[in-house]
């Protein structure tokens, strides 16, 4: 076990302060927070010693909401005000939710924005706000356990989450007052937890059957670099569906009608879930419906019957596995290990079928409920800079293809799914009418060929195209996805140079203004003056810039002429001085000055390090 | 699909000889070495400027790797470097085109009959043709090669890859 380091009072042990960062698994059913302490990743318990926080929020009139186990216990009695599985609603519009089925026991109201709101005793709440409540509890727990403010968090999302769902997750974090270092795909987090622990090399498959989503990822781990080769899955298939299959069977047996009361449906779901869990260890389970919820009924179910009910659902996951293998260009035999993630992988039939498919015994040595949070904590620790430069690097992909609408409601893919990010791709289009001077660009995400089957992300218009005959103008559309998976689309008419661009913000996201209002309303910032907050943020940013330039000068001053060196030094010392002042505008101003004089320096350093990387390589080869 | 940066030579970036034959192990090793240095995750605490620079370089390295590791894309890129307009190229090979039509008819037939065995026969036939095409490319792109013939090969390989893609999509619907 690693020993704790203790420094002398007033002396810091490390060259820079150890920053507090955590990983959060914001799950459909349960959530967890984990941190790396003394080099070991571990999940953090609450005051009662419980690590798992049920992802359930209960709203009450004139009282603050209750989150977790207490809320879960009230779910049957107060089902309208108790929101569970909110992750399924994240980034979804009213239409999507109708698709998810009328079985959701909440009252939805349509607001001004596209985002659905749920009517509760405490007023209307959006899914993003419900998630923010869960995050706030985990944040409080982490700050309590670690004894300080968090520098940042890594939050995990299903690999199959689309742009809108990711943005909604980020918005929830913002409302909870958390700085998101990175949204990390859940399977990748699990792979990190296994890989970093055991230094595993080779190609791994991560099979993640969570409460509400299924993900499969194929990763290559080599020399400390984790390369995601492909991801796939189904964002509307999970353990809940296994429960529902069993619940429907029970309702049929017990003659409970589809239009039964919400609390009765909740009761049947709870019985079904408990039975599913028991069937992991036993062959037959007794089922008992309580008369208090409507119908009294007694029955039993054998594992064999249960297997028949869920066989088709599990088969659907294997189809996704096949597709992921093909996208990765990998044969099933090349997979060295299969890692199981998510509570639903405890179902024996899942374990058996996955084992058969890959021809391997799946790995379950790390608790499948905790493995995602542990991996996220490790990534957070790396990103916040608590580890040296030799640590693991993660090369991730976009999970869904990005494209645009062309004539006739068809989709042209610009960046195909499973492309490694960051990436930029361009494609050329032309006008279809004589004298056309504007072109509307509709950005979509998805694999299908028809626009109607894909998710609409954004629309914008390129104007001022010089009028020509149809097909005469040349418009180059460029899609750029950064390392966070954030998309920017730009369009340029090549003969005239007219251009336009948009940072894509999904249609079902919150408006900037809405977030600001929620921030103001939320407890965490109520007492804080906005100006003071801006100043503090500017100072932190300036400190970071100063530190990075100092490091650069120490390492690579030789890349600068004497005059250049003096310019940098001067800008640096000026910024140091103004950073002591209390005007955030002045600080910002001098930060830009310093960045300007170091622009060329930064570029030279980057090129030098690229040469260095390959030179070192060739020396090793000889 | 075109590369964004026209100024950087991908082979130079990876310090590999500018030719069709490529050592794939060396290529993927160097890809990882380069990303280790330039990836934005290495610059999380850095200034906005350094982050932007790292974003650009990491994008370039990804683009280059995407092109170099794929036989067809690498061949197209080599032709592009030699200023050969392979996009405008017309194929004059009626034998090949007849064969393509026949293969497409077979794909439609498989789609109608939902016959997986027949699909796998189609797959292996297509793969053989792809392999033969790549052998020709190697020959025609070598030093003493015939670049116009290489354009023919690129044209054919595009056809075959597209067919293969459609066969894969069909396979998805059959499961």
């Amino acid at each position: 076990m690693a020993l704790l380091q203790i420094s002398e009072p007033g002396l810091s042990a490390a060259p820079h302060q150890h920053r507090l960062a955590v990983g959060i698994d914001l799950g459909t059913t349960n959530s967890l927070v984990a941190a790396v302490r003394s080099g070991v990743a571990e999940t953090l318990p609450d005051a009662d010693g419980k690590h798992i926080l049920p992802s359930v929020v209960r709203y009450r009139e004139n009282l603050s909401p209750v989150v977790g186990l207490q809320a879960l216990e009230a779910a049957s009695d107060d089902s309208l005000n108790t929101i569970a599985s909110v992750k399924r609603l994240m980034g979804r519009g009213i239409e999507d939710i109708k698709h998810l089925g009328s079985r959701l026991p909440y009252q939805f109201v349509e607001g001004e924005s596209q985002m659905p709101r749920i009517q509760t005793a405490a007023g209307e709440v959006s899914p993003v706000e419900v998630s923010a409540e869960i995050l706030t509890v985990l944040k409080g727990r982490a700050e309590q356990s670690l004894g300080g403010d968090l520098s940042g968090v890594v939050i995990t999302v299903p690999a199959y989450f689309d742009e809108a769902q990711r943005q909604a997750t980020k918005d929830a974090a913002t409302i909870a007052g958390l700085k998101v270092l990175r949204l990390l795909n859940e399977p990748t987090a699990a792979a990190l937890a296994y890989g970093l622990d055991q230094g595993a090399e080779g190609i791994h498959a991560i099979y993640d059957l969570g409460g509400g989503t299924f993900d499969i990822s194929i990763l290559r781990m080599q020399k400390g670099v984790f390369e995601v080769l492909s991801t796939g899955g189904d964002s509307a298939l999970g353990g809940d569906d296994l429960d529902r299959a069993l619940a429907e069977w029970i309702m049929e047996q017990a003659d409970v009608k589809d239009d039964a009361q919400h609390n009765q449906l909740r009761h049947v779901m709870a019985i079904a879930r408990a039975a599913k869990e028991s069937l992991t260890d036993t062959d037959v389970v007794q089922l008992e419906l309580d008369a208090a919820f409507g119908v009294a009924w007694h029955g039993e179910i054998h594992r064999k019957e249960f297997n028949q009910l869920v066989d088709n659902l599990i088969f659907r996951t294997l189809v996704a596995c096949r597709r992921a293998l093909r996208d990765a260009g990998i044969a099933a035999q090349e997979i060295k290990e299969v890692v199981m993630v998510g509570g639903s992988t405890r179902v024996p039939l899942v374990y058996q079928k996955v084992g058969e498919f890959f021809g391997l015994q799946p790995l379950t040595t790390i608790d499948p409920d905790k493995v995602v949070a542990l991996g996220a904590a490790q990534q957070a620790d790396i990103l916040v800079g608590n580890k040296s430069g030799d640590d693991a690097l993660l090369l991730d992909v976009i999970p869904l293809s990005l494209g645009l609408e062309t004539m006739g409601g068809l989709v042209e893919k610009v960046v195909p799914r499973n492309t490694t990010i960051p990436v930029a791709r361009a494609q050329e289009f032309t006008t279809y009418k004589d004298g056309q001077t504007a072109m509307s660009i509709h950005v979509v995400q998805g694999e299908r060929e028809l626009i109607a089957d894909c998710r609409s992300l954004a629309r914008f218009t390129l104007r001022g195209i010089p009028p020509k005959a149809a097909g005469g103008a040349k418009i180059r559309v460029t899609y750029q996805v950064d390392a966070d998976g954030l998309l920017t689309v730009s369009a340029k008419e090549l003969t005239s140079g007219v251009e336009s661009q948009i940072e894509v913000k999904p249609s079902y996201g919150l408006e900037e203004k809405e977030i600001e209002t929620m921030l103001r309303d939320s407890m965490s910032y109520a007492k804080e003056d906005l100006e003071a907050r801006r100043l503090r943020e500017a100072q932190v940013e300036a400190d970071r810039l100063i530190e990075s330039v100092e490091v650069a000068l120490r390492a690579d001053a030789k890349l600068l002429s004497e005059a250049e060196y003096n310019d940098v030094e001067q800008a640096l010392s000026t910024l140091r001085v103004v950073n002591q002042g209390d005007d955030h505008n002045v600080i910002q101003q001098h930060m830009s000055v310093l960045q300007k004089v170091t622009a060329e320096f930064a570029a030279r350093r980057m090129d030098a390090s690229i040469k260095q990387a390959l030179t070192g390589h060739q020396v090793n080869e000889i | 699909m075109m590369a964004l940066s026209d100024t950087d030579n991908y082979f130079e970036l990876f310090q590999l000889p500018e030719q069709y034959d490529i050592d794939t192990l060396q290529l993927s090793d160097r890809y990882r070495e380069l990303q280790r240095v330039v990836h934005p995750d290495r610059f999380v605490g850095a200034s906005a400027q350094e982050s932007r620079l790292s974003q650009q370089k990491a994008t370039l390295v990804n683009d280059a790797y995407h092109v170099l590791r794929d036989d067809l894309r690498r061949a197209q890129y080599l032709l592009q470097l030699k200023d050969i307009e392979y996009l405008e190229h017309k194929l004059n090979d009626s034998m090949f085109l007849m064969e393509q039509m026949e293969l497409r008819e077979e794909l439609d037939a498989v789609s109608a009959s939902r016959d997986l065995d027949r699909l796998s026969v189609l797959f292996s036939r297509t793969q053989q043709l792809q392999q033969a095409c790549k052998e020709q490319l190697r020959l025609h792109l070598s030093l003493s090669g015939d670049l116009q013939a290489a354009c023919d090969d690129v044209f054919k390989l595009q056809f075959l890859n597209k067919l293969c893609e459609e066969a894969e999509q069909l396979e998805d619907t059959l499961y």
Side-chain angles (χ1 to χ4, degrees):
Chain A
M1 194 192 125
L3 293 175
L4 284 170
Q5 293 178 326
I6 299 170
S7 58
E8 270 182 64
L11 282 180
S12 150
H16 73 77
Q17 209 187 346
H18 184 91
R19 299 187 175 108
L20 299 180
V22 295
I24 290 179
D25 173 4
L26 185 61
T28 307
T29 319
N30 293 310
S31 296
L32 285 140
V33 58
V36 174
R37 288 201 276 194
S38 312
V40 181
E42 53 192 15
T43 53
L44 306 175
D46 65 9
D48 298 329
K50 292 205 166 59
H51 292 250
I52 286 175
L53 178 75
S55 304
V56 184
V57 181
R58 182 186 181 197
Y59 286 90
R60 302 173 299 173
E61 207 179 334
N62 297 326
L63 286 168
S64 55
V66 179
V67 181
L69 198 58
Q70 257 187 300
L72 179 64
E73 281 162 355
S76 291
D77 296 333
D78 190 18
S79 58
L80 285 181
N81 295 312
T82 309
I83 319 295
S85 298
V86 72
K87 191 172 178 179
R88 290 193 153 196
L89 309 179
M90 292 288 274
R92 293 293 180 218
I94 290 275
E95 284 305 312
D96 298 312
I97 284 165
K98 284 178 188 152
H99 275 294
L100 281 177
S102 50
R103 287 268 168 90
L104 287 168
Y106 312 120
Q107 291 177 335
F108 288 100
V109 281
E110 270 175 84
E112 277 170 39
S113 63
Q114 296 249 44
M115 187 185 280
R117 288 171 189 278
I118 304 164
Q119 186 69 54
T120 73
E124 291 172 16
V125 295
S126 69
V128 170
E129 288 166 284
V130 179
S131 293
E133 292 295 345
I134 298 167
L135 289 172
T136 304
V137 169
L138 293 173
K139 178 191 179 207
R141 185 194 288 187
E143 288 179 341
Q144 193 99 49
S145 309
L146 302 175
D149 287 348
L150 298 180
S151 294
V153 293
V154 167
I155 300 178
T156 59
V157 290
Y160 226 53
F161 252 24
D162 65 28
E163 205 80 11
Q165 292 165 305
R166 281 166 202 265
Q167 189 61 51
T169 307
K170 274 194 169 172
D171 290 347
T174 307
I175 294 167
L178 289 166
K179 180 179 187 296
V180 179
L181 296 167
R182 172 68 38 92
L183 292 182
L184 182 63
N185 290 332
E186 284 159 12
T188 314
L192 277 173
Y194 272 97
L196 293 180
D197 259 20
Q198 299 160 8
E201 297 259 302
I203 301 172
H204 297 232
I206 320 295
Y207 180 100
D208 179 356
L209 189 57
T213 53
F214 169 66
D215 273 332
I216 175 76
S217 289
I218 312 293
L219 280 104
R220 189 207 309 268
M221 307 189 196
Q222 205 150 26
K223 293 171 189 154
V225 178
F226 290 59
E227 200 182 339
V228 180
L229 299 178
S230 68
T231 67
D234 192 330
S235 62
L237 172 65
D240 288 359
D241 296 289
L242 306 186
D243 300 346
R244 191 162 300 118
L246 181 51
E248 276 166 12
W249 182 85
I250 294 173
M251 284 165 67
E252 213 178 282
Q253 303 290 315
D255 203 24
V256 177
K257 296 284 179 278
D258 270 11
D259 55 359
Q261 291 296 310
H262 286 321
N263 60 0
Q264 189 178 7
L265 293 178
R266 281 275 179 108
H267 178 60
V268 176
M269 278 296 277
I271 298 285
R273 172 169 303 171
K276 174 191 78 176
E277 284 166 9
S278 303
L279 283 171
T280 296
D281 302 313
T282 57
D283 278 337
V284 59
V285 169
Q286 301 300 312
L287 302 166
E288 193 88 51
L289 291 191
D290 192 331
F293 293 105
V295 182
W297 174 78
H298 177 86
E300 62 177 30
I301 183 158
H302 289 260
R303 189 191 284 171
K304 243 187 182 160
E305 291 169 289
F306 174 70
N307 285 353
Q308 273 172 10
L309 293 175
V310 300
D311 191 56
N312 188 44
L313 293 171
I314 297 171
F315 181 73
R316 268 169 67 193
T317 68
L318 298 180
V319 172
C321 290
R322 266 188 78 252
R323 201 175 304 133
L325 282 174
R326 204 186 55 213
D327 280 356
I330 295 292
Q333 305 86 276
E334 290 177 74
I335 301 289
K336 200 176 138 201
E337 268 166 342
V338 182
V339 171
M340 297 295 253
V341 184
S344 303
T345 57
R346 292 201 178 88
V347 171
L349 189 66
V350 172
Y351 187 87
Q352 182 201 326
K353 291 277 181 187
V354 173
E356 281 169 14
F357 180 83
F358 288 102
L360 287 167
Q361 291 284 333
L363 271 185
T364 50
T365 43
I366 302 180
D367 183 343
D369 286 325
K370 290 182 178 171
V371 64
V372 166
L374 295 175
Q378 281 165 327
Q379 177 72 352
D381 197 47
I382 291 170
L383 288 180
V384 88
N386 287 335
K387 291 197 168 181
S388 73
D390 286 339
D391 279 301
L393 175 67
L394 188 62
L395 300 173
D396 219 335
V397 300
I398 55 160
L400 298 164
S401 302
L402 296 165
L404 53 75
E405 178 173 358
T406 60
M407 292 300 299
L410 294 176
V411 176
E412 176 72 25
K413 281 178 191 164
V414 179
V415 190
R417 71 162 186 259
N418 291 322
T419 298
T420 310
I421 49 175
V423 68
R425 293 279 163 81
Q427 217 156 316
E428 277 175 24
F429 297 89
T430 188
T431 44
Y432 82 104
K433 264 193 206 155
D434 288 341
Q436 186 177 340
T437 58
M439 181 182 271
S440 159
I441 295 178
H442 182 198
V443 184
V444 298
Q445 183 170 42
E447 308 311 316
R448 308 281 291 277
E449 279 171 29
L450 291 179
I451 204 85
D453 299 326
C454 286
R455 175 162 289 267
S456 166
L457 293 179
R459 287 172 195 273
F460 70 107
T461 306
L462 176 67
R463 294 179 202 283
I465 300 171
K468 289 185 177 173
K474 262 191 165 179
I475 290 110
R476 177 186 284 196
V477 179
T478 305
Y479 277 45
Q480 218 167 332
V481 186
D482 70 14
D484 278 314
L486 211 74
L487 171 66
T488 306
V489 179
S490 58
K492 184 177 186 177
E493 204 284 311
L494 296 179
T495 58
S496 63
V498 178
E499 60 187 318
S500 168
Q501 74 164 32
I502 187 171
E503 197 170 279
V504 173
K505 177 103 179 162
S507 319
Y508 301 125
L510 289 170
E511 299 295 322
E512 245 3 278
K513 242 174 59 193
E514 285 183 274
I515 296 180
E516 194 140 322
T517 317
M518 287 177 190
L519 257 178
R520 236 189 285 277
D521 293 348
S522 73
M523 293 291 288
S524 26
Y525 292 116
K527 297 163 215 142
E528 212 173 40
D529 179 23
L530 203 61
E531 281 293 301
R533 186 174 145 83
R534 289 221 174 102
L535 175 63
R536 215 180 56 200
E537 280 172 357
Q539 284 171 331
V540 169
E541 217 180 312
D543 280 340
R544 186 176 287 171
L545 179 62
I546 290 167
E547 191 188 314
S548 82
V549 173
E550 283 171 347
V551 168
L553 282 180
R554 272 201 296 278
D556 290 316
K558 57 183 182 298
L559 296 175
L560 292 172
S561 71
E562 205 177 319
E564 287 168 333
Y565 183 88
N566 290 337
D567 286 348
V568 174
E569 268 297 351
Q570 171 137 33
L572 194 57
S573 53
T574 314
L575 180 59
R576 279 197 203 103
V577 174
V578 299
N579 202 29
Q580 306 301 316
D582 53 9
D583 188 337
H584 60 85
N585 287 320
V586 175
I587 297 174
Q588 293 288 0
Q589 219 175 320
H590 283 89
M591 276 170 60
S592 341
V593 172
L594 180 57
Q595 287 187 342
K596 222 170 176 179
V597 300
T598 53
E600 176 61 25
F601 183 34
R604 278 184 218 163
R605 290 191 72 218
M606 185 69 81
D607 288 338
S609 64
I610 288 175
K611 284 213 180 73
Q612 170 75 33
L614 292 186
T615 313
H617 195 91
Q618 279 160 336
V619 170
N620 289 341
E621 275 167 2
I622 301 162
Chain B
M1 204 68 60
M2 71 195 75
L4 285 180
S5 175
D6 306 319
T7 51
D8 298 88
N9 181 308
Y10 294 163
F11 290 99
E12 272 173 33
L13 179 64
F14 278 74
Q15 296 188 13
L16 289 166
E18 195 176 303
Q19 62 188 38
Y20 178 75
D21 277 315
I22 203 160
D23 180 341
T24 49
L25 270 180
Q26 205 173 39
L27 177 71
S28 61
D29 262 0
R30 291 193 179 174
Y31 170 63
R32 283 187 287 270
E33 298 290 341
L34 287 172
Q35 283 296 10
R36 256 181 190 292
V37 178
V38 301
H39 195 274
D41 277 5
R42 292 281 184 249
F43 296 86
V44 167
S47 65
Q49 191 171 46
E50 283 175 302
S51 303
R52 200 169 49 240
L53 206 55
S54 118
Q55 196 84 31
Q56 282 167 5
K57 288 290 180 191
T59 301
L60 176 68
V61 170
N62 276 335
D63 276 349
Y65 185 53
H66 172 76
V67 167
L68 294 184
R69 76 179 158 181
D70 179 82
D71 294 335
L72 173 62
R73 287 192 288 263
R74 190 170 63 254
Q76 288 171 326
Y77 183 63
L78 278 165
L79 289 170
Q80 192 186 317
L81 288 177
K82 294 179 203 296
D83 282 326
I84 307 283
E85 281 291 342
Y86 64 90
L87 282 174
E88 307 295 321
H89 190 76
K90 295 272 180 296
L91 183 68
N92 230 337
D93 185 340
S94 50
M95 284 285 283
F96 177 81
L97 293 173
M98 292 284 282
E99 192 177 26
Q100 287 305 302
M101 276 169 63
E102 191 221 316
L103 285 168
R104 298 216 151 252
E105 276 164 19
E106 177 63 13
L107 186 67
D108 289 341
V110 171
S111 168
S113 65
R114 303 181 64 85
D115 185 341
L116 276 173
D117 291 335
R118 216 167 143 183
L119 182 63
S120 84
V121 173
L122 179 62
F123 262 126
S124 55
R125 218 179 126 193
T126 312
Q127 275 155 9
Q128 271 172 18
L129 290 169
Q130 283 171 316
Q131 210 43 52
C133 213
K134 288 175 187 176
E135 287 303 323
Q136 289 296 307
L137 256 181
R138 171 168 300 132
L139 205 67
H140 294 139
L141 280 172
S142 67
L143 275 181
S144 55
D146 174 351
L147 293 181
Q148 286 308 313
C151 287
D152 276 358
D153 301 331
V154 161
F155 195 96
K156 290 178 184 175
L157 198 52
Q158 279 173 330
F159 246 94
L160 292 166
N161 286 3
K162 185 93 177 101
L163 179 73
C164 204
E165 219 173 88
E166 281 169 34
E168 282 170 354
Q169 275 166 9
L170 173 63
E171 194 181 21
D172 270 351
T173 66
L174 297 183
Y175 271 91

